[in-house]
Amino acid sequence: MTSGSPARAALIALDWGTSSLRAYRLDGAGRTLDTRHLPWGIMRLPQPLQDGAATASTQSGFELAFEQACGDWLRAEPALPVIACGMVGSAQGWQEAAYLDVPVDLPRIGTLLTRIDRADATPVHIVPGLIQRHGLPNVMRGEETQVFGVLFDQAGSGADDVLIGLPGTHSKWVTARRGRATHFDTFMTGEVYAALRGHTILGRTMTEAPAPDMAAFERGVKVAGAPAGRAGVLSTIFSTRALGLTGELAGASQADYLSGLLIGHEVAALAEMLRQQGDLPRIVLCGDDALCQRYILALRHYGLGTPEQARNATERGLWHLAVCAGLVPAAQAAPPTSPASNKETP
């Protein structure tokens, strides 16, 4: 490549969830050249245009969203392979990609992609989700790619056991050992926060705040682990309203207090589970930075130390899975980069 010429792409990677679609154009070392963020999650896709006399377009909403995300990239470089993770592979997605059972060696995921053939167009390779059948069943789609991105780029860290926290709408805590996902837990913290704030009486006394009230957040975190918190989250959440009615908590502080309560209960439960298991593992967080900072405060409060933060885990994971699948050759040096992403902020 001559000096000053644009870098050539090697892969198009899609993070396609319920509410949004992120597209990445990656070079031969797995570095991000371009990023696009569209509102076309699998539950809200663009609709084909119709004009009365004309017949409806034969393109599906998935095809239309795909065209908006990366159609011009593929026209410029038609041979680029495409890999996608997330809810696009669910039963409600473009094509279902079967779950793989945990425990699983993470590189194996890349060898079991589901291929969507698109007539004469570029095929799309879908990453499977993971399912945990022992005890209460549990599933994930998309987070397995983030976990692989974290572990692959930190392979030389020296720790056998890693607990990877993925805070968001459905927070995941994934236990991994030597590149193998062995167990995971799900906390619906972000979705419960959004539901309580938007659809219960707790939201009636909340007002918009000009800035986060982290003192109110920390107060909620502490209540979750105090004697009053032992009755559980269903007992403590009403204090969001009661503290407001008694004049102890301003309306602009109540959302952050509720956030602290819910995250506090999540982390307190996590800390108890980890202590029952014995030695505490190394903890790595991956997600929106502001949300991760909230979890860091809670983790410190409950004696779990200060976790590391991983960056760009989704695109890094998609790159490494594409290498495992043989879609792209392994780069000689693919340096880890920053930053990360996730979902609803509780």
Side-chain angles (χ1 to χ4, degrees):
M1 184 170 65
T2 60
S3 177
S5 63
R8 290 186 60 83
L11 179 72
I12 292 174
L14 306 177
D15 177 15
W16 203 333
T18 302
S19 59
S20 67
L21 165 59
R22 290 184 185 273
Y24 304 97
R25 183 170 161 267
L26 306 178
D27 72 6
R31 293 173 298 221
T32 302
L33 301 174
D34 297 296
T35 303
R36 290 173 179 168
H37 186 194
L38 293 89
W40 305 132
I42 68 160
M43 302 304 290
R44 182 177 178 268
L45 294 166
Q47 297 301 307
L49 294 176
Q50 297 176 295
D51 61 357
T55 59
S57 168
T58 57
Q59 284 189 304
S60 71
F62 288 102
E63 287 281 3
L64 292 170
F66 181 83
E67 166 62 28
Q68 289 186 33
C70 58
D72 58 333
W73 291 346
L74 285 169
R75 282 189 290 277
E77 298 178 86
L80 289 179
V82 181
I83 188 171
C85 70
M87 291 298 288
V88 68
S90 70
Q92 295 75 39
W94 199 347
Q95 185 168 312
E96 188 170 9
Y99 290 109
L100 303 182
D101 283 272
V102 170
V104 63
D105 292 317
L106 290 166
R108 182 169 177 263
I109 297 173
T111 68
L112 296 169
L113 306 183
T114 295
R115 176 177 166 130
I116 301 176
D117 290 309
R118 304 172 51 244
D120 295 328
T122 302
V124 179
H125 300 84
I126 306 293
V127 178
L130 300 184
I131 186 167
Q132 184 170 270
R133 300 182 192 274
H134 54 276
L136 288 175
N138 209 341
V139 296
M140 68 167 74
R141 280 198 188 275
E143 293 92 350
E144 75 295 318
T145 301
Q146 292 177 298
V147 169
F148 192 36
V150 171
L151 289 180
F152 198 101
D153 281 338
Q154 299 194 7
S157 64
D160 282 344
D161 293 300
V162 183
L163 179 66
I164 299 173
L166 304 159
T169 305
H170 298 161
S171 295
K172 304 285 186 183
W173 292 92
V174 185
T175 301
R177 181 175 177 83
R178 298 179 182 176
R180 185 175 176 84
T182 59
H183 178 84
F184 62 95
D185 295 289
T186 302
F187 294 81
M188 290 181 61
T189 307
E191 187 166 1
V192 169
Y193 169 81
L196 290 173
R197 186 175 180 180
H199 301 286
T200 75
I201 198 169
L202 299 183
R204 300 294 180 87
T205 54
M206 293 180 183
T207 58
E208 290 299 320
D213 186 342
M214 295 310 293
F217 172 81
E218 290 188 60
R219 182 178 184 179
V221 168
K222 292 174 182 176
V223 168
R230 292 174 186 163
V233 66
L234 293 179
S235 172
T236 58
I237 54 175
F238 190 73
S239 64
T240 306
R241 177 174 173 82
L243 287 169
L245 295 176
T246 57
E248 297 182 55
L249 190 65
S253 301
Q254 289 173 22
D256 285 311
Y257 172 79
L258 177 61
S259 171
L261 272 179
L262 296 176
I263 291 176
H265 277 289
E266 175 184 339
V267 174
L270 179 71
E272 180 61 25
M273 289 190 294
L274 291 176
R275 291 193 177 100
Q276 289 178 2
Q277 294 170 13
D279 294 337
L280 295 180
R282 175 170 143 259
I283 299 177
V284 179
L285 284 184
C286 173
D288 172 79
D289 190 62
L291 181 54
C292 283
Q293 291 305 313
R294 292 180 179 241
Y295 274 80
I296 288 170
L297 287 172
L299 289 163
R300 287 173 177 163
H301 178 74
Y302 286 99
L304 297 179
T306 301
E308 302 170 41
Q309 278 188 265
R311 311 288 182 175
N312 283 349
T314 300
E315 51 266 52
R316 298 298 296 155
L318 284 165
W319 169 261
H320 293 306
L321 288 171
V323 171
C324 292
L327 297 178
V328 292
Q332 290 187 350
T337 50
S338 313
S341 68
N342 217 302
K343 295 136 182 149
E344 193 79 48
T345 301

